[in-house]
Amino acid sequence: MDEFLKWYFSDRPVIAAMLGADGYDHTLGDFTAEAWQNRERERVRWLERLSKAEAPTLDDAIDRDLVVSQLRGDIAMASWPVWRRDPSVYLGSIFTAMYNPFQNRLKPEPELVSAAISRLAEVPGVLAACRANLDPDLAAPLLVKRGLGQARTGRNFLTRTIPSMVEDPELRAKLAEAAEPAARAFDDIVTFLEGFECGGTWRMGERLYSQLLREREMLGYGAAELHEKGKAAWAELDARMQEVAVKVNGSRDWRAAMEVIMDDHAPTLDDMRAEYEAETHRAREFVRRHDLVTFAEDEECLVLPSAEYNRPVLAVAHYLAPPPLSASRRGVFFVPYTPDDFTPEQVRQRLRTNARAQMPSIAVHEAYPGHHWHLSFIAENPRTVRKVFRTPYFVEGWALYVEKLLHEHGYFDTPAKELAHLDFRLFRAARIIVDTALHCEDMSIEEAETFMSTKASLSPGTAQGEVNRYCAWPTQAPSYLTGAIEIDRIRASFTGGLKEFHDRIAGAGGLPLGLAEKVALA
């Protein structure tokens, strides 16, 4: 396993540095076609070797099977080469590599700047690989347009945003100067993407989608059954929401009740951030008072505006975990600010979809005892591979599971907050339905946007952003409710106390659900 991780980190230095591994923060890595092809061959060799490895203990077997599940998923994805289809593979690596070190601040500022300058020198090469590798027959116009939105933020991000995070004036000026060649490379990739003509599809297809569910996520079913689970969950939640809606506005029409709820929101984006921060503190105190989990020592959750480069592609709250291979236990709950070019009406719609009654559910999900608690807690797990590999089917499933957990303990203490909580769960059921239908060719983008804006309480603009994300990230959207349901099922078989269950299953990592069940019920 140590040999495997050494290969994995050297091949993916951006990921290694993001995890807090030493020695990988001066390079972006190799993005040439030859490197991608070598990576595919090495995965096959590692799968063969690890599949034969003896595991003397249950923990060793879990570690091995975790890596094997990841390798099987990666090998399956070789038939769907994202590096030929999607420019965000290249752009996202650059943005992450430049932003996260200054956000996490694990090293002195001069060292951070030195590493950033080394990486900036490699940006033109990475973007040249993007131009060379994108295949007009495979790349989808939707994904290229999405990447173009990110690329257009590149110059400002490198020459202004990142230098502004440096406190020392001389170092700031040095970094801004070094960023100019990289910024010109971003100008060039914007021009390239604007003129790039392609005719590929973003639809993954049912065969590969089901294969990933079974082999990478270790679920016992494929896309068709998952789709039906989503429909059943939506119907059940719809009925419950009708009952709660009566308490909100005297009608069983929960959509109308949610419209009323969403009209009560913060007046500005900055006010929204401040209110989220207060709600995050309230959630933490509630979890501690009810003794639901064990907290990591020195953990801290900051609540900040979303990074500029993410605003064109992420319309919802999200979380940056503390690097698990480091000593840091400080994470960041990012509040979903809008891009600078949004109209006042678009900003208002973003505020409406982060209404005051919705904030408790979102703070629980992103912070306590959701992502921040979970990912700061697993950073203390002694098994290194548990910190490196995790699946959204557990991580997102856990965050939605704890929303329901806190509902059971009375956290959502008004009908409006309860309805918002149920609405978020129903929204995740709608995601299952739409994501499986989109990628199995049963639904158009327009039909998906209509579904999300009528079967969940999303504004048309937010629904459009959501569906755009599903097209670019197949299988991720169903992970929330699927994982929550599976964790609930495992909990029903657990014979110990509630806190013991939470610490055991979530403290084991972000395992595929089949492995999480083995750990919990061992």
Side-chain angles (χ1 to χ4, degrees):
M1 200 62 71
D2 290 342
E3 289 180 47
F4 171 79
L5 287 175
K6 183 178 180 179
W7 167 77
Y8 184 83
F9 287 162
S10 64
D11 192 54
R12 298 162 185 79
V14 172
I15 293 176
M18 184 174 67
L19 292 167
D22 280 332
Y24 298 95
D25 56 354
H26 283 69
T27 181
L28 296 171
D30 191 345
F31 287 81
T32 63
E34 182 181 7
W36 287 104
Q37 291 159 353
N38 285 340
R39 201 168 290 131
E40 291 171 3
R41 288 190 289 269
E42 284 298 308
R43 286 173 183 144
V44 173
R45 283 195 281 269
W46 275 111
L47 178 61
E48 292 173 352
R49 180 177 174 186
L50 289 174
S51 296
K52 299 173 183 176
E54 294 293 331
T57 69
L58 175 63
D59 269 331
D60 291 330
I62 296 294
D63 287 355
R64 178 199 60 201
D65 293 347
L66 170 61
V67 174
V68 165
S69 72
Q70 297 294 311
L71 287 169
R72 284 176 175 160
D74 289 344
I75 291 168
M77 285 293 289
S79 65
W80 185 259
V82 291
W83 59 279
R84 293 194 182 278
R85 295 173 173 274
D86 189 350
S88 68
V89 170
Y90 306 87
L91 303 172
S93 294
I94 295 170
F95 287 131
T96 298
M98 299 304 301
Y99 183 83
N100 285 13
F102 289 102
Q103 180 61 61
N104 291 323
R105 292 194 169 270
L106 299 180
K107 294 184 177 180
E109 190 166 87
E111 293 184 34
L112 295 177
V113 171
S114 174
I117 290 173
S118 294
R119 282 176 159 174
L120 283 169
E122 296 183 359
V123 167
V126 173
L127 297 181
C130 175
R131 293 197 301 272
N133 293 345
L134 285 181
D135 187 330
D137 294 328
L138 296 179
L142 180 146
L143 301 184
V144 171
K145 182 179 178 181
R146 180 181 169 92
L148 177 59
Q150 272 193 303
R152 284 174 174 154
T153 71
R155 168 171 281 280
N156 188 65
F157 173 77
L158 293 179
T159 61
R160 300 177 68 178
T161 303
I162 296 301
S164 73
M165 301 175 78
V166 177
E167 297 174 2
D168 183 280
E170 292 185 12
L171 291 174
R172 188 187 313 132
K174 185 178 179 181
L175 183 60
E177 181 182 2
E180 185 55 36
R184 288 197 295 271
F186 264 96
D187 295 339
D188 292 341
I189 198 70
V190 167
T191 301
F192 170 79
L193 293 175
E194 287 175 338
F196 185 69
E197 296 183 3
C198 54
T201 181
W202 47 264
R203 295 186 192 272
M204 175 173 277
E206 184 173 354
R207 183 196 63 79
L208 178 55
Y209 197 112
S210 294
Q211 185 179 4
L212 293 173
L213 293 179
R214 292 191 174 100
E215 296 187 10
R216 185 180 64 192
E217 306 304 337
M218 300 179 71
L219 296 170
Y221 45 83
E225 188 172 349
L226 180 58
H227 182 80
E228 293 304 316
K229 286 177 180 288
K231 289 169 63 177
W234 189 94
E236 179 184 346
L237 288 160
D238 175 55
R240 289 174 60 194
M241 288 181 70
Q242 290 180 46
E243 297 173 2
V244 178
V246 175
K247 304 174 188 177
V248 175
N249 68 345
S251 164
R252 292 179 65 86
D253 185 349
W254 61 259
R255 293 171 185 82
M258 286 302 302
E259 288 295 316
V260 172
I261 286 172
M262 289 192 292
D263 283 337
D264 179 23
H265 57 74
T268 69
L269 294 171
D270 289 341
D271 290 322
M272 175 175 72
R273 189 216 64 80
E275 292 185 26
Y276 266 125
E277 185 172 53
E279 190 62 48
T280 298
H281 292 318
R282 187 174 84 93
R284 186 181 190 278
E285 178 55 32
F286 185 93
V287 172
R288 183 178 291 281
R289 188 167 67 250
H290 285 78
D291 199 27
L292 297 176
V293 297
T294 298
F295 284 81
E297 188 173 352
D298 297 327
E299 60 78 22
E300 179 186 11
C301 185
L302 304 180
V303 183
L304 301 177
S306 58
E308 182 183 19
Y309 72 89
N310 265 330
R311 295 177 192 179
V313 295
L314 271 179
V316 294
H318 48 286
Y319 175 73
L320 174 65
L325 301 181
S326 75
S328 173
R329 297 296 179 264
R330 185 176 67 186
V332 184
F333 166 12
F334 285 115
V335 176
Y337 276 41
T338 56
D340 292 340
D341 60 356
F342 264 37
T343 66
E345 175 58 21
Q346 287 175 307
V347 173
R348 188 180 77 87
Q349 291 298 335
R350 180 64 55 83
L351 294 169
R352 291 187 79 247
T353 51
N354 291 269
R356 291 186 171 107
Q358 296 171 309
M359 286 183 172
S361 290
I362 296 172
V364 166
H365 185 103
E366 300 297 338
Y368 298 103
H371 291 323
H372 173 70
W373 172 82
H374 178 212
L375 297 176
S376 62
F377 189 62
I378 65 172
E380 301 191 340
N381 190 306
R383 315 290 295 199
T384 303
V385 293
R386 311 283 184 89
K387 305 175 188 181
V388 174
F389 299 106
R390 52 182 183 258
T391 167
Y393 278 75
F394 189 93
V395 175
E396 298 296 354
W398 170 262
L400 190 60
Y401 161 81
V402 296
E403 288 185 46
K404 182 182 176 187
L405 173 72
L406 262 65
H407 178 240
E408 294 168 351
H409 282 76
Y411 185 72
F412 308 117
D413 52 6
T414 69
K417 291 176 184 177
E418 182 181 12
L419 186 65
H421 156 67
L422 293 171
D423 181 57
F424 280 125
R425 200 167 178 90
L426 177 137
F427 162 49
R428 273 39 177 259
R431 275 180 163 177
I432 295 177
I433 297 167
V434 168
D435 196 71
T436 49
L438 280 170
H439 286 285
C440 298
E441 304 187 40
D442 294 328
M443 187 179 282
S444 69
I445 289 177
E446 293 74 18
E447 289 170 335
E449 291 174 357
T450 299
F451 190 97
M452 295 304 295
S453 61
T454 58
K455 301 297 185 181
S457 56
L458 301 185
S459 68
T462 302
Q464 184 180 34
E466 278 288 313
V467 172
N468 187 278
R469 171 186 171 183
Y470 308 158
C471 296
W473 202 354
T475 76
Q476 193 275 345
S479 63
Y480 299 73
L481 185 56
T482 306
I485 291 171
E486 292 294 321
I487 293 170
D488 252 331
R489 179 185 61 78
I490 297 168
R491 172 179 153 187
S493 300
F494 187 78
T495 56
L498 191 58
K499 182 179 181 179
E500 180 189 358
F501 172 73
H502 294 154
D503 287 354
R504 180 183 294 188
I505 194 169
L511 300 172
L513 291 156
L515 294 182
E517 183 170 12
K518 287 183 180 180
V519 168
L521 305 181

